[in-house]
Amino acid sequence: MYKALTIAGSDSSGGAGIQADIKTMTAHGVYAMSVITALTAQNTTGVTGIMDVSKEFLEEQMDCVFTDIVPDAVKIGMVSSEGLIRSISKKLKQYGAQNVVVDPVMVATSGSRLITEEAISVLKEALFPLADLLTPNVPETEVIAGIKIKTKEDMVKATKMIYNRYGCPVLCKGGHFGNDADDLLYIDGEIHWLKGERYDNPNTHGTGCTLSSAIASNLSKGYSMIEAVKLAKTYVAKAIDDNMNLGKGRGPLNHMWKIMQCDDNFIF
Ligand SMILES: Nc1ncnc2c1ncn2[C@@H]1O[C@H](COP(=O)(O)OP(=O)(O)OP(=O)(O)O)[C@@H](O)[C@H]1O
Ligand SMILES: Cc1ncc(CO)c(N)n1
């Protein structure tokens, strides 16, 4: 059994954060574990509240996981404050965590802010150097690189800047850019455009969380980074294209699209 850990915030509406991650890892046949950084009160229309856990309790959760069922891969999502980021960094180093995917979550699909301004610089300094892959979307890439992205050439430029600064592979996700869903993977000094068709579906709550936990699942199984990202992109595309339509705002994906293609007798 391959094992993956998500370190992220809980989404009460089940489409993003910890819930999306656990569904995704489970759909990949991977044993999922969670270290919860915060509770959020949110639904498909927005986030109404955030309650961070204490540093001590976050570290206690990490100790419990890493001293028992050691994860083959780790995905990090929403971490809203400096102290929690430093605690995660300390514990990842202490336990020599493998296959670390960092999704630098800043703003929810609904537009709500999920990290403080001060915490962004700590994220860069304490967490990015530990990442085996960084997965910013275009607005996050702009913030991290410090340049505006108007064209695909800008996307390449900003992604290279981040790669050179932090020394880790970068996947710049194109879900917020242009008429396609092309993502840019920069790894080992080479550019790989991962082409994607854009589906005309407003229900994209949690696409980023789902992609990063699918990548972590694939890495836990031993796939190369490029293969892990390509497979994850296909999984997300199919979960969007399944056209589930829940909630009053931007609804969640169908993480279980594959299982629901099986007949009931197979599942039970
Ligand atoms: N409408 C769409 N059709 C097809 N693929 C999409 C669509 N929207 C996003 N994607 C894909 O989903 C993945 C996540 O990208 P996106 O840019 O949406 O991340 P994100 O902004 O971090 O997500 P979130 O909205 O959850 O914060 C990428 O592989 C992207 O290409
Ligand atoms: C808890 C949580 N993490 C990440 C996102 C980004 O989609 C969200 N909306 N909620």
Side-chain angles (χ1 to χ4, degrees), residues 5 7 62 66 70-76 88-101 130-132:
L5 168 67
I7 304 176
M62 289 192 66
F66 278 95
V70 179
D72 302 302
V74 180
K75 169 250 157 95
I76 301 169
I88 294 170
S89 172
K90 181 175 87 180
K91 289 292 170 185
L92 290 177
K93 282 190 220 154
Q94 179 183 331
Y95 292 112
Q98 305 284 310
N99 295 319
V100 178
V101 180
L130 304 181
D132 292 290

Side-chain angles (χ1 to χ4, degrees), residues 49-207:
I50 297 178
M51 188 191 283
D52 277 347
V53 300
S54 67
K55 275 176 55 176
E56 293 70 27
F57 199 70
L58 183 134
E59 292 187 18
E60 201 175 326
Q61 293 178 73
M62 289 192 66
D63 288 335
C64 280
V65 170
F66 278 95
T67 57
D68 190 20
I69 306 177
V70 179
D72 302 302
V74 180
K75 169 250 157 95
I76 301 169
M78 172 191 164
V79 198
S80 69
S81 67
E82 297 156 67
L84 293 177
I85 297 168
R86 290 199 195 283
S87 288
I88 294 170
S89 172
K90 181 175 87 180
K91 289 292 170 185
L92 290 177
K93 282 190 220 154
Q94 179 183 331
Y95 292 112
Q98 305 284 310
N99 295 319
V100 178
V101 180
V102 176
D103 184 13
V105 173
M106 296 182 189
V107 176
T109 313
S110 54
S112 311
R113 197 172 177 105
L114 297 171
I115 187 168
T116 63
E117 198 62 53
E118 308 78 62
I120 294 177
S121 55
V122 183
L123 200 60
K124 293 185 198 167
E125 164 219 320
L127 226 40
F128 287 8
L130 304 181
D132 292 290
L133 180 71
L134 267 183
T135 65
N137 61 23
V138 166
E140 289 156 357
T141 303
E142 291 184 322
V143 170
I144 298 164
I147 63 167
K148 278 270 156 217
I149 297 177
K150 293 210 171 68
T151 61
K152 284 202 169 168
E153 289 69 46
D154 295 340
M155 217 166 139
V156 174
K157 187 174 164 197
T159 303
K160 273 188 185 173
M161 284 168 75
I162 298 174
Y163 174 90
N164 290 332
R165 212 176 285 161
Y166 301 102
C168 65
V170 182
L171 178 71
C172 177
K173 300 170 293 188
H176 297 254
F177 191 76
N179 301 320
D180 52 36
D182 294 354
D183 300 339
L184 172 60
L185 176 64
Y186 199 79
I187 184 168
D188 295 333
E190 281 187 34
I191 293 167
H192 304 260
W193 277 106
L194 308 180
K195 300 279 182 194
E197 180 188 345
R198 175 176 294 273
Y199 297 110
D200 186 19
N201 180 353
N203 299 311
T204 55
H205 177 77
T207 46

Side-chain angles (χ1 to χ4, degrees), residues 200-232:
D200 186 19
N201 180 353
N203 299 311
T204 55
H205 177 77
T207 46
C209 303
T210 302
L211 184 77
S212 56
S213 46
I215 297 170
S217 301
N218 294 328
L219 291 175
S220 79
K221 294 178 179 177
Y223 284 103
S224 70
M225 185 59 78
I226 296 180
E227 214 39 48
V229 174
K230 283 185 183 167
L231 288 169

